Amino acid sequence: MLFAAGPIGSTILSLKPTPEDYGGLDGCNEYLTVSKPELLEGIQRSFYEAGCDAVDSATFGANRVVFAEYDIEDRVREINRLAAEQVGRVRDEFSTPEWPRYSLGTIGPGTKLPSLGHIDYDELVESYREQTRGLIEGGIDVLKVETCQDLLQTKVALGAIEDVFGEMDARLPVIASVTIETTGTMLLGSDIACALTTLEALDTVDIIGINCATGPEQMVEHVRYLAQNSRRPVFIGPNAGLPEIRDGETCYPLTPEAFARYQRIFVEEMGASIAAGCCGTTPEHFEAAIAAVGRPRPKARPETIEAACSSLYTSVPFEQDTSFLVVGERMNATGSRAFRELLLEEDTEGVVALARDQAAEGAHVLDLMVDYVGREGAPDVERFARELRTQATLPLVFDSTEVPVIETALKLYGGKAVVNSINLEDGERKITRLLPLIKRFGAAAVALVIDEEGQARDVDWKLRVAHRIHEIAVDRYGMEPGDLLFDMLTFPLGGGQEDLRGDAMATLEAIRRVKTELPGTHTILGVSNVSFGLKPAARRVLNSVFLAEAVEAGLDAAIVNARQIRPLSRIPEAQLEAARDLIYDRRREDYDPLIHFLSLFEDVEAAPKRAEEQAALPVDERLKQRIIDGDRRGL
């Protein structure tokens, strides 16, 4: 394992540079590379002398966004190059073949967070590209995207690094390190599970870590989770305790002995691979830690990770312990008249309320589909995704047939989204445009079994298409098998056509086979299609029964209206058996299950909708419920 020193900024402040030291740019630590490089060299040299294997460059804020505050934004690339060269000279004083030392090119979060709308993706990514080019040109050894407060900002920086690697034909190790506040989450509310789900999906990341904000004591449980679940080496860089103000100055109270004790726990008990230090740590802290920990071999990392998606706030595994993954279907311009009206009115508050309704009804993930005839999809998805990414807690599925719509949505989203969908309808033309985007933004994907011949109907056809998609997505583009959710397609049973009677059985058998033949992948189904065209009461029963059969066959996720799914125990026995007869086409000479099933609902009306039920309540009860739900519509 290695020791890495990162308290460049706090050490600079402790030395109290003068305005002259800053070359007239008071407070711009990064400009010291130009105006007072010997000050930086002295700091970095002290940490190498203490025994650190790696030390940061003075480039934490060396990006266009921060430099614009000092009117030096045109010098981003130059100053990063100079800073990398400067720390490299100090590194070379200590590095030997027997004990190589390293320089870490630090890339901070800047001062504008994209998830809050402070800056857009394209502007921010170019800023990070410039910084990365300069660091690589200056000979930096490792790129460290650190002190991350917004997962979208983190993804933008990592995307910029990936771009520059391709542009310069280079590849350096990359650390991505988030900051967990005393609240237990990142600044915008992401917990460590959410951060890990998001970062594990990005190939650019080699090492995942936590740094800054708190001392090691407050990090313990977050480090434990990260070390137990990350497949990648773990980097831990606490501050020297929580900062205190003494005599008007910021102080960090953690002693070297206490720092060493916690680093020993992180390395020996939890399996951290890089013991680092952030604000307030000193050469004495590292000397104590190195003496206490030594340099053991890092513990083995887990070989697998739980397949999941994430919002800005939480991670949701695809495999639920006691249920299937419920994908809420009500934000669909094609399938929901209520959502379509909100779309046409550009009612973002109404859409947020609809998202919250679905969460309250039991959805785990929300499908967002804005494609509608006569409208541009990209502006619509931008409008609603901007609101939903911070105001809805559940992860989003971006559902569109248009590549620009998917790209627009992914550029806005800090979590790990699901793209709905990829298929082979036009051969490989569209799938090979979508997969690079899916990989770049670390998304999962719904894979429809559709090929050039159409929607796969029989079992062998479905499996043939699934194998083709798997080969392209996993073998060629490097997707994780667990991030593929195969939709084996189901078709309406209510029409009575002979060629449709066996479709439900084919779907169920295809679900069983794909789980066996393509291990590690997942399955998903738009369940309500099976009942298309039937009366609402009949649809609820058939959807519920078919869903139960699909889950029994191995279905992992279903795109449904959770409120419309009924437990089998609450369905009358006659309706339950009739639905199963229809699904399995149990026709006899004197019995047609479709005719029988329809007859059971001739005089049955659907239950009143929730909105109608609430409208019947007294005003004070309605207001109370609106406050609980956070619903401001129609107040």
Side-chain angles (χ1 to χ4, degrees):
M1 52 81 59
L2 302 175
F3 293 88
I8 304 302
S10 62
T11 309
I12 290 171
L13 293 178
S14 72
L15 297 176
K16 300 179 181 178
T18 65
E20 290 74 24
D21 291 332
Y22 280 116
L25 300 179
D26 199 16
C28 185
N29 290 339
E30 295 75 18
Y31 196 69
L32 291 167
T33 298
V34 176
S35 62
K36 192 87 170 177
E38 62 271 22
L39 183 147
L40 298 175
E41 290 169 2
I43 294 170
Q44 292 155 341
R45 188 174 290 113
S46 70
F47 286 104
Y48 282 121
E49 287 174 341
C52 290
D53 301 280
V55 178
D56 277 7
S57 61
T59 55
F60 182 80
N63 58 66
R64 178 170 286 273
V65 175
V66 175
F67 276 12
E69 299 172 11
Y70 297 95
D71 294 323
I72 55 170
E73 61 267 37
D74 58 340
R75 301 188 67 180
V76 168
R77 186 168 181 171
E78 171 204 356
I79 289 176
N80 276 279
R81 175 178 55 79
L82 292 173
E85 292 171 347
Q86 175 262 308
V87 69
R89 288 192 295 271
V90 182
R91 171 203 62 203
D92 291 345
E93 295 174 16
F94 296 88
S95 188
T96 66
E98 296 75 27
W99 185 1
R101 307 294 183 100
Y102 305 98
S103 58
L104 305 183
T106 177
I107 299 173
T111 55
K112 296 182 179 180
L113 302 181
S115 286
L116 297 183
H118 298 161
I119 189 170
D120 67 28
Y121 181 96
D122 292 330
E123 182 181 355
L124 188 57
V125 78
E126 184 51 40
S127 173
Y128 282 128
R129 286 180 188 135
E130 286 186 82
Q131 184 171 16
T132 303
R133 291 183 189 111
L135 289 169
I136 294 175
E137 288 169 347
I140 209 73
D141 296 314
V142 178
L143 296 171
K144 183 174 70 159
V145 180
E146 64 155 308
T147 320
C148 299
Q149 302 160 342
D150 174 0
L151 286 172
L152 181 55
Q153 167 264 317
T154 315
K155 291 171 70 174
V156 175
L158 294 167
I161 289 170
E162 180 182 346
D163 292 341
V164 175
F165 282 166
E167 171 191 309
M168 300 181 70
D169 193 23
R171 182 63 167 95
L172 302 180
V174 176
I175 299 170
S177 182
V178 301
T179 292
I180 304 294
E181 306 287 339
T182 54
T183 57
T185 68
M186 295 170 66
L187 183 65
L188 297 192
S190 311
D191 63 20
I192 189 61
C194 170
L196 181 59
T197 294
T198 302
L199 295 175
E200 272 274 5
L202 301 168
D203 289 346
T204 308
V205 179
D206 299 295
I207 299 162
I208 298 176
I210 303 171
N211 78 289
C212 206
T214 71
E217 180 181 359
Q218 293 78 19
M219 286 186 175
V220 170
E221 292 309 312
H222 311 303
V223 175
R224 189 188 311 279
Y225 181 90
L226 187 60
Q228 287 176 349
N229 293 280
S230 173
R231 291 177 298 182
R232 292 166 167 83
V234 171
F235 168 101
I236 303 298
N239 289 345
L242 292 170
E244 300 175 355
I245 303 299
R246 298 176 184 171
D247 300 325
E249 295 186 0
T250 301
C251 300
Y252 293 87
L254 192 73
T255 65
E257 293 73 24
F259 178 78
R261 183 171 66 254
Y262 277 106
Q263 287 289 13
R264 187 171 182 177
I265 293 170
F266 294 156
V267 172
E268 294 183 358
E269 296 183 20
M270 300 183 187
S273 301
I274 300 178
C278 205
C279 300
T281 54
T282 64
E284 290 73 26
H285 285 88
F286 281 96
E287 288 171 353
I290 292 167
V293 178
R295 298 182 186 275
R297 289 185 61 83
K299 289 188 175 182
R301 308 300 318 142
E303 295 183 0
T304 60
I305 189 170
E306 184 176 54
C309 55
S310 62
S311 67
L312 196 59
Y313 305 110
T314 188
S315 176
V316 176
F318 293 144
E319 296 181 20
Q320 296 289 306
D321 290 336
T322 59
S323 173
F324 59 95
L325 184 77
V326 180
V327 182
E329 68 176 1
R330 294 171 60 197
M331 295 192 300
N332 186 309
T334 301
S336 168
R337 184 175 64 183
F339 177 76
R340 186 161 58 248
E341 290 173 354
L342 295 172
L343 172 72
L344 296 175
E345 294 169 4
E346 300 182 359
D347 183 353
T348 55
E349 283 190 7
V351 170
V352 169
L354 183 56
R356 290 174 177 166
D357 282 349
Q358 292 184 90
E361 292 162 3
H364 302 116
V365 181
L366 301 176
D367 188 83
L368 176 64
M369 195 278 205
V370 300
D371 293 356
Y372 189 64
V373 176
R375 292 184 67 88
E376 288 288 333
D380 281 333
V381 80
E382 180 172 358
R383 179 179 302 108
F384 294 118
R386 278 187 183 277
E387 298 299 318
L388 290 168
R389 66 184 177 182
T390 56
Q391 296 192 50
T393 58
L394 300 184
L396 295 179
V397 177
F398 294 121
D399 186 345
S400 177
T401 60
E402 301 297 324
V403 175
V405 174
I406 296 296
E407 182 174 13
T408 297
L410 292 175
K411 283 183 174 182
L412 292 165
Y413 202 62
K416 178 182 176 181
V418 181
V419 170
N420 187 4
S421 60
I422 56 175
N423 61 65
L424 298 172
E425 184 176 10
D426 56 359
E428 296 187 12
R429 187 180 65 84
K430 185 181 288 186
I431 194 173
T432 53
R433 292 175 63 199
L434 279 170
L435 284 171
L437 289 174
I438 289 167
K439 285 291 294 176
R440 177 186 180 87
F441 292 97
V446 173
L448 303 180
V449 285
I450 302 173
D451 65 6
E452 300 88 339
E453 299 176 34
Q455 299 179 77
R457 297 283 298 280
D458 63 64
V459 177
D460 289 339
W461 185 4
K462 292 175 189 286
L463 268 295
R464 189 164 61 248
V465 179
H467 277 273
R468 283 182 64 193
I469 292 174
H470 185 277
E471 187 275 328
I472 296 168
V474 176
D475 298 342
R476 267 195 254 169
Y477 283 87
M479 277 195 73
E480 297 275 355
D483 285 339
L484 278 179
L485 295 94
F486 281 104
D487 186 334
M488 306 311 282
L489 302 182
T490 192
F491 301 92
L493 292 178
Q497 297 97 319
E498 185 63 32
D499 63 334
L500 296 177
R501 292 287 188 134
D503 278 343
M505 289 186 288
T507 298
L508 297 176
E509 179 60 22
I511 290 170
R512 293 187 188 96
R513 281 185 54 183
V514 78
K515 300 281 285 187
T516 301
E517 296 181 21
L518 298 174
T521 61
H522 293 93
T523 51
I524 189 170
L525 202 59
V527 170
S528 59
N529 200 39
V530 75
S531 66
F532 183 78
L534 301 183
K535 292 179 64 174
R539 295 198 72 178
R540 290 187 68 174
V541 171
L542 184 55
N543 290 347
S544 301
V545 177
F546 183 62
L547 175 59
E549 297 297 314
V551 170
E552 182 68 23
L555 185 71
D556 299 297
I559 304 173
V560 293
N561 181 344
R563 191 177 63 201
Q564 299 295 327
I565 298 300
R566 299 175 63 183
L568 298 190
S569 60
R570 293 177 57 188
I571 297 175
E573 187 65 26
Q575 295 178 4
L576 182 62
E577 286 307 310
R580 286 176 174 151
D581 287 348
L582 178 58
I583 291 166
Y584 291 102
D585 192 23
R586 294 170 179 161
R587 282 179 287 177
R588 299 187 296 273
E589 185 175 341
D590 58 347
Y591 174 70
D592 187 322
L594 175 59
I595 295 173
H596 177 59
F597 182 76
L598 294 177
S599 71
L600 296 177
F601 296 92
E602 286 180 354
D603 301 316
V604 178
E605 297 298 327
K609 295 182 179 179
R610 182 167 179 257
E612 295 170 357
E613 293 173 340
Q614 288 189 347
L617 295 173
V619 171
D620 59 338
E621 287 296 318
R622 277 186 280 160
L623 282 172
K624 178 181 177 181
Q625 194 60 48
R626 290 294 187 91
I627 292 168
I628 292 170
D629 294 342
D631 184 357
R632 295 181 288 178
R633 292 173 297 170
L635 284 182

